[in-house]
mmCIF file of all heavy atoms in Angstrom:
data_model
loop_
_atom_site.group_PDB
_atom_site.id
_atom_site.type_symbol
_atom_site.label_atom_id
_atom_site.label_comp_id
_atom_site.label_asym_id
_atom_site.label_seq_id
_atom_site.Cartn_x
_atom_site.Cartn_y
_atom_site.Cartn_z
ATOM 1 N N ASN C 1 19.935 3.985 33.407
ATOM 2 C CA ASN C 1 19.715 5.120 34.285
ATOM 3 C C ASN C 1 21.134 5.581 34.703
ATOM 4 O O ASN C 1 21.768 4.919 35.551
ATOM 5 C CB ASN C 1 18.920 4.716 35.515
ATOM 6 C CG ASN C 1 18.506 5.936 36.361
ATOM 7 O OD1 ASN C 1 19.388 6.737 36.742
ATOM 8 N ND2 ASN C 1 17.221 6.054 36.566
ATOM 9 N N VAL C 2 21.647 6.622 34.102
ATOM 10 C CA VAL C 2 22.988 7.031 34.255
ATOM 11 C C VAL C 2 23.067 8.280 35.180
ATOM 12 O O VAL C 2 22.467 9.315 34.885
ATOM 13 C CB VAL C 2 23.659 7.392 32.851
ATOM 14 C CG1 VAL C 2 25.085 7.803 33.097
ATOM 15 C CG2 VAL C 2 23.582 6.170 31.982
ATOM 16 N N ASP C 3 23.785 8.146 36.307
ATOM 17 C CA ASP C 3 23.970 9.284 37.223
ATOM 18 C C ASP C 3 22.655 9.985 37.688
ATOM 19 O O ASP C 3 22.631 11.184 37.887
ATOM 20 C CB ASP C 3 24.891 10.274 36.552
ATOM 21 C CG ASP C 3 26.289 9.770 36.280
ATOM 22 O OD1 ASP C 3 26.747 8.849 37.092
ATOM 23 O OD2 ASP C 3 26.905 10.175 35.316
ATOM 24 N N GLY C 4 21.639 9.161 37.749
ATOM 25 C CA GLY C 4 20.319 9.748 38.226
ATOM 26 C C GLY C 4 19.667 10.628 37.162
ATOM 27 O O GLY C 4 18.697 11.282 37.461
ATOM 28 N N ASN C 5 20.148 10.699 35.949
ATOM 29 C CA ASN C 5 19.582 11.593 34.971
ATOM 30 C C ASN C 5 18.459 10.983 34.173
ATOM 31 O O ASN C 5 17.748 11.636 33.424
ATOM 32 C CB ASN C 5 20.682 12.058 33.935
ATOM 33 C CG ASN C 5 21.628 12.929 34.623
ATOM 34 O OD1 ASN C 5 21.340 13.773 35.530
ATOM 35 N ND2 ASN C 5 22.945 12.845 34.172
ATOM 36 N N GLY C 6 18.230 9.679 34.373
ATOM 37 C CA GLY C 6 17.053 9.059 33.644
ATOM 38 C C GLY C 6 17.374 8.847 32.212
ATOM 39 O O GLY C 6 18.387 9.197 31.641
ATOM 40 N N SER C 7 16.383 8.211 31.560
ATOM 41 C CA SER C 7 16.579 7.911 30.131
ATOM 42 C C SER C 7 15.274 8.106 29.338
ATOM 43 O O SER C 7 15.124 7.640 28.241
ATOM 44 C CB SER C 7 16.972 6.390 29.976
ATOM 45 O OG SER C 7 16.008 5.573 30.579
ATOM 46 N N GLY C 8 14.380 8.904 29.903
ATOM 47 C CA GLY C 8 13.194 9.213 29.135
ATOM 48 C C GLY C 8 12.105 9.881 29.971
ATOM 49 O O GLY C 8 12.067 9.722 31.192
ATOM 50 N N SER C 9 11.291 10.689 29.322
ATOM 51 C CA SER C 9 10.169 11.334 29.966
ATOM 52 C C SER C 9 9.032 11.474 28.996
ATOM 53 O O SER C 9 9.189 11.926 27.839
ATOM 54 C CB SER C 9 10.538 12.796 30.463
ATOM 55 O OG SER C 9 9.521 13.381 31.131
ATOM 56 N N LEU C 10 7.889 11.024 29.401
ATOM 57 C CA LEU C 10 6.670 11.107 28.600
ATOM 58 C C LEU C 10 5.903 12.327 29.188
ATOM 59 O O LEU C 10 5.398 12.284 30.335
ATOM 60 C CB LEU C 10 5.818 9.851 28.720
ATOM 61 C CG LEU C 10 4.570 9.833 27.927
ATOM 62 C CD1 LEU C 10 4.854 9.776 26.439
ATOM 63 C CD2 LEU C 10 3.675 8.608 28.336
ATOM 64 N N ASN C 11 5.722 13.357 28.358
ATOM 65 C CA ASN C 11 5.091 14.583 28.810
ATOM 66 C C ASN C 11 3.719 14.793 28.208
ATOM 67 O O ASN C 11 3.517 14.461 27.032
ATOM 68 C CB ASN C 11 5.959 15.769 28.436
ATOM 69 C CG ASN C 11 7.263 15.804 29.126
ATOM 70 O OD1 ASN C 11 7.547 14.982 29.964
ATOM 71 N ND2 ASN C 11 8.154 16.692 28.753
ATOM 72 N N TYR C 12 2.798 15.306 28.979
ATOM 73 C CA TYR C 12 1.455 15.586 28.478
ATOM 74 C C TYR C 12 1.121 17.055 28.841
ATOM 75 O O TYR C 12 1.113 17.469 29.969
ATOM 76 C CB TYR C 12 0.404 14.696 29.129
ATOM 77 C CG TYR C 12 -1.016 14.868 28.557
ATOM 78 C CD1 TYR C 12 -1.369 14.399 27.315
ATOM 79 C CD2 TYR C 12 -2.009 15.502 29.315
ATOM 80 C CE1 TYR C 12 -2.619 14.570 26.817
ATOM 81 C CE2 TYR C 12 -3.280 15.744 28.817
ATOM 82 C CZ TYR C 12 -3.532 15.231 27.587
ATOM 83 O OH TYR C 12 -4.855 15.417 27.055
ATOM 84 N N SER C 13 0.837 17.850 27.797
ATOM 85 C CA SER C 13 0.565 19.253 27.981
ATOM 86 C C SER C 13 -0.735 19.434 28.698
ATOM 87 O O SER C 13 -1.780 18.874 28.417
ATOM 88 C CB SER C 13 0.519 19.980 26.639
ATOM 89 O OG SER C 13 0.166 21.296 26.832
ATOM 90 N N LEU C 14 -0.679 20.328 29.741
ATOM 91 C CA LEU C 14 -1.865 20.743 30.456
ATOM 92 C C LEU C 14 -2.366 22.155 30.141
ATOM 93 O O LEU C 14 -3.236 22.712 30.764
ATOM 94 C CB LEU C 14 -1.571 20.656 32.011
ATOM 95 C CG LEU C 14 -1.227 19.268 32.533
ATOM 96 C CD1 LEU C 14 -1.021 19.345 34.016
ATOM 97 C CD2 LEU C 14 -2.348 18.270 32.215
ATOM 98 N N THR C 15 -1.774 22.698 29.052
ATOM 99 C CA THR C 15 -2.194 23.970 28.600
ATOM 100 C C THR C 15 -3.617 23.992 28.176
ATOM 101 O O THR C 15 -4.071 23.166 27.371
ATOM 102 C CB THR C 15 -1.342 24.482 27.420
ATOM 103 O OG1 THR C 15 0.064 24.487 27.775
ATOM 104 C CG2 THR C 15 -1.719 25.871 26.903
ATOM 105 N N GLY C 16 -4.387 24.899 28.756
ATOM 106 C CA GLY C 16 -5.850 24.980 28.505
ATOM 107 C C GLY C 16 -6.660 23.866 29.159
ATOM 108 O O GLY C 16 -7.881 23.815 28.979
ATOM 109 N N LYS C 17 -6.003 23.081 29.999
ATOM 110 C CA LYS C 17 -6.738 21.980 30.649
ATOM 111 C C LYS C 17 -6.839 22.218 32.143
ATOM 112 O O LYS C 17 -7.738 21.617 32.810
ATOM 113 C CB LYS C 17 -6.014 20.626 30.414
ATOM 114 C CG LYS C 17 -6.052 20.203 28.983
ATOM 115 C CD LYS C 17 -5.382 18.837 28.753
ATOM 116 C CE LYS C 17 -5.346 18.459 27.294
ATOM 117 N NZ LYS C 17 -6.737 18.191 26.769
ATOM 118 N N ILE C 18 -5.964 23.027 32.735
ATOM 119 C CA ILE C 18 -6.137 23.294 34.155
ATOM 120 C C ILE C 18 -6.400 24.751 34.367
ATOM 121 O O ILE C 18 -6.067 25.629 33.596
ATOM 122 C CB ILE C 18 -4.812 22.880 34.929
ATOM 123 C CG1 ILE C 18 -3.617 23.668 34.411
ATOM 124 C CG2 ILE C 18 -4.595 21.451 34.850
ATOM 125 C CD1 ILE C 18 -2.390 23.411 35.253
ATOM 126 N N LYS C 19 -7.004 25.075 35.536
ATOM 127 C CA LYS C 19 -7.407 26.421 35.880
ATOM 128 C C LYS C 19 -6.750 26.750 37.249
ATOM 129 O O LYS C 19 -6.360 25.928 37.999
ATOM 130 C CB LYS C 19 -8.941 26.524 36.035
ATOM 131 C CG LYS C 19 -9.640 26.151 34.750
ATOM 132 C CD LYS C 19 -11.188 26.192 34.916
ATOM 133 C CE LYS C 19 -11.709 25.188 35.923
ATOM 134 N NZ LYS C 19 -13.178 25.124 35.958
ATOM 135 N N PRO C 20 -6.697 28.120 37.545
ATOM 136 C CA PRO C 20 -6.067 28.490 38.799
ATOM 137 C C PRO C 20 -6.885 27.977 39.976
ATOM 138 O O PRO C 20 -8.133 27.900 39.901
ATOM 139 C CB PRO C 20 -6.133 30.031 38.701
ATOM 140 C CG PRO C 20 -6.239 30.337 37.265
ATOM 141 C CD PRO C 20 -7.043 29.229 36.661
ATOM 142 N N SER C 21 -6.227 27.708 41.044
ATOM 143 C CA SER C 21 -6.858 27.339 42.360
ATOM 144 C C SER C 21 -7.872 26.306 42.169
ATOM 145 O O SER C 21 -9.035 26.389 42.752
ATOM 146 C CB SER C 21 -7.394 28.614 43.027
ATOM 147 O OG SER C 21 -6.380 29.617 43.163
ATOM 148 N N SER C 22 -7.595 25.312 41.465
ATOM 149 C CA SER C 22 -8.545 24.166 41.217
ATOM 150 C C SER C 22 -7.855 22.813 41.547
ATOM 151 O O SER C 22 -6.661 22.702 41.505
ATOM 152 C CB SER C 22 -8.990 24.147 39.742
ATOM 153 O OG SER C 22 -9.660 25.356 39.398
ATOM 154 N N THR C 23 -8.699 21.850 41.894
ATOM 155 C CA THR C 23 -8.216 20.554 42.332
ATOM 156 C C THR C 23 -8.447 19.500 41.249
ATOM 157 O O THR C 23 -9.522 19.517 40.610
ATOM 158 C CB THR C 23 -8.812 20.123 43.625
ATOM 159 O OG1 THR C 23 -8.589 21.116 44.642
ATOM 160 C CG2 THR C 23 -8.319 18.774 44.146
ATOM 161 N N TYR C 24 -7.497 18.595 41.069
ATOM 162 C CA TYR C 24 -7.513 17.624 39.977
ATOM 163 C C TYR C 24 -7.116 16.294 40.557
ATOM 164 O O TYR C 24 -6.232 16.179 41.494
ATOM 165 C CB TYR C 24 -6.648 17.945 38.855
ATOM 166 C CG TYR C 24 -7.015 19.272 38.186
ATOM 167 C CD1 TYR C 24 -6.531 20.495 38.616
ATOM 168 C CD2 TYR C 24 -7.955 19.274 37.102
ATOM 169 C CE1 TYR C 24 -6.950 21.639 38.092
ATOM 170 C CE2 TYR C 24 -8.362 20.469 36.528
ATOM 171 C CZ TYR C 24 -7.913 21.623 36.996
ATOM 172 O OH TYR C 24 -8.304 22.832 36.448
ATOM 173 N N ARG C 25 -7.746 15.246 40.139
ATOM 174 C CA ARG C 25 -7.401 13.870 40.525
ATOM 175 C C ARG C 25 -6.830 13.165 39.274
ATOM 176 O O ARG C 25 -7.351 13.205 38.220
ATOM 177 C CB ARG C 25 -8.600 13.079 41.032
ATOM 178 C CG ARG C 25 -8.230 11.701 41.468
ATOM 179 C CD ARG C 25 -9.451 10.937 42.018
ATOM 180 N NE ARG C 25 -9.153 9.598 42.423
ATOM 181 C CZ ARG C 25 -10.009 8.668 42.791
ATOM 182 N NH1 ARG C 25 -11.324 8.971 42.827
ATOM 183 N NH2 ARG C 25 -9.654 7.444 43.129
ATOM 184 N N VAL C 26 -5.682 12.436 39.508
ATOM 185 C CA VAL C 26 -4.997 11.741 38.480
ATOM 186 C C VAL C 26 -4.881 10.208 38.914
ATOM 187 O O VAL C 26 -4.589 9.969 40.081
ATOM 188 C CB VAL C 26 -3.534 12.296 38.295
ATOM 189 C CG1 VAL C 26 -2.790 11.431 37.258
ATOM 190 C CG2 VAL C 26 -3.612 13.754 37.830
ATOM 191 N N ARG C 27 -5.234 9.381 37.998
ATOM 192 C CA ARG C 27 -5.031 7.932 38.281
ATOM 193 C C ARG C 27 -4.471 7.294 36.985
ATOM 194 O O ARG C 27 -4.925 7.605 35.830
ATOM 195 C CB ARG C 27 -6.323 7.281 38.630
ATOM 196 C CG ARG C 27 -6.164 5.775 39.008
ATOM 197 C CD ARG C 27 -7.344 5.103 39.451
ATOM 198 N NE ARG C 27 -8.274 4.907 38.360
ATOM 199 C CZ ARG C 27 -9.418 4.126 38.445
ATOM 200 N NH1 ARG C 27 -9.730 3.588 39.549
ATOM 201 N NH2 ARG C 27 -10.165 3.968 37.349
ATOM 202 N N ALA C 28 -3.526 6.411 37.154
ATOM 203 C CA ALA C 28 -2.896 5.670 36.004
ATOM 204 C C ALA C 28 -2.422 4.325 36.499
ATOM 205 O O ALA C 28 -2.107 4.172 37.665
ATOM 206 C CB ALA C 28 -1.801 6.476 35.404
ATOM 207 N N MET C 29 -2.442 3.369 35.572
ATOM 208 C CA MET C 29 -1.846 2.063 35.879
ATOM 209 C C MET C 29 -0.389 2.132 35.455
ATOM 210 O O MET C 29 -0.046 2.577 34.333
ATOM 211 C CB MET C 29 -2.563 0.959 35.175
ATOM 212 C CG MET C 29 -3.995 0.737 35.636
ATOM 213 S SD MET C 29 -4.160 0.381 37.451
ATOM 214 C CE MET C 29 -3.195 -1.119 37.561
ATOM 215 N N ILE C 30 0.575 1.780 36.351
ATOM 216 C CA ILE C 30 1.973 1.866 36.179
ATOM 217 C C ILE C 30 2.676 0.554 36.469
ATOM 218 O O ILE C 30 2.247 -0.172 37.402
ATOM 219 C CB ILE C 30 2.611 2.945 37.077
ATOM 220 C CG1 ILE C 30 1.807 4.298 36.970
ATOM 221 C CG2 ILE C 30 4.069 3.103 36.834
ATOM 222 C CD1 ILE C 30 2.103 5.048 35.647
ATOM 223 N N LYS C 31 3.632 0.245 35.622
ATOM 224 C CA LYS C 31 4.552 -0.871 35.940
ATOM 225 C C LYS C 31 5.970 -0.393 35.846
ATOM 226 O O LYS C 31 6.363 0.138 34.764
ATOM 227 C CB LYS C 31 4.349 -2.061 34.985
ATOM 228 C CG LYS C 31 5.220 -3.268 35.273
ATOM 229 C CD LYS C 31 4.862 -4.501 34.524
ATOM 230 C CE LYS C 31 5.395 -4.559 33.140
ATOM 231 N NZ LYS C 31 5.269 -5.853 32.478
ATOM 232 N N THR C 32 6.758 -0.508 36.885
ATOM 233 C CA THR C 32 8.154 -0.030 36.887
ATOM 234 C C THR C 32 9.063 -1.191 36.962
ATOM 235 O O THR C 32 8.770 -2.178 37.579
ATOM 236 C CB THR C 32 8.471 0.960 38.007
ATOM 237 O OG1 THR C 32 8.377 0.263 39.298
ATOM 238 C CG2 THR C 32 7.376 2.106 38.029
ATOM 239 N N ILE C 33 10.255 -1.040 36.314
ATOM 240 C CA ILE C 33 11.312 -2.062 36.333
ATOM 241 C C ILE C 33 12.566 -1.509 36.999
ATOM 242 O O ILE C 33 13.004 -0.408 36.705
ATOM 243 C CB ILE C 33 11.650 -2.430 34.810
ATOM 244 C CG1 ILE C 33 10.380 -2.769 34.069
ATOM 245 C CG2 ILE C 33 12.655 -3.599 34.740
ATOM 246 C CD1 ILE C 33 9.616 -3.920 34.545
ATOM 247 N N ASN C 34 13.136 -2.328 37.897
ATOM 248 C CA ASN C 34 14.421 -2.094 38.569
ATOM 249 C C ASN C 34 14.387 -0.785 39.372
ATOM 250 O O ASN C 34 15.346 -0.056 39.494
ATOM 251 C CB ASN C 34 15.597 -1.953 37.538
ATOM 252 C CG ASN C 34 15.768 -3.270 36.847
ATOM 253 O OD1 ASN C 34 15.588 -4.328 37.429
ATOM 254 N ND2 ASN C 34 16.161 -3.220 35.564
ATOM 255 N N GLY C 35 13.236 -0.445 39.946
ATOM 256 C CA GLY C 35 13.153 0.754 40.835
ATOM 257 C C GLY C 35 12.002 1.654 40.495
ATOM 258 O O GLY C 35 11.006 1.204 39.919
#
């Protein structure tokens, strides 16, 4: 993790999956290392 710039990003497209003025719930299992 250099100068706060990070070393990776996993992106998931929400194109066609979300609508205006709508509510969504997200849940995932996460394990983080060193912060």
Side-chain angles (χ1 to χ4, degrees):
N1 190 306
V2 181
D3 296 329
N5 291 327
S7 58
S9 181
L10 182 69
N11 296 354
Y12 184 74
S13 173
L14 298 180
T15 301
K17 296 181 181 295
I18 61 174
K19 300 180 294 188
S21 304
S22 299
T23 302
Y24 298 87
R25 182 180 178 186
V26 176
R27 185 178 73 171
M29 294 303 300
I30 306 288
K31 182 170 81 168
T32 68
I33 308 298
N34 297 327

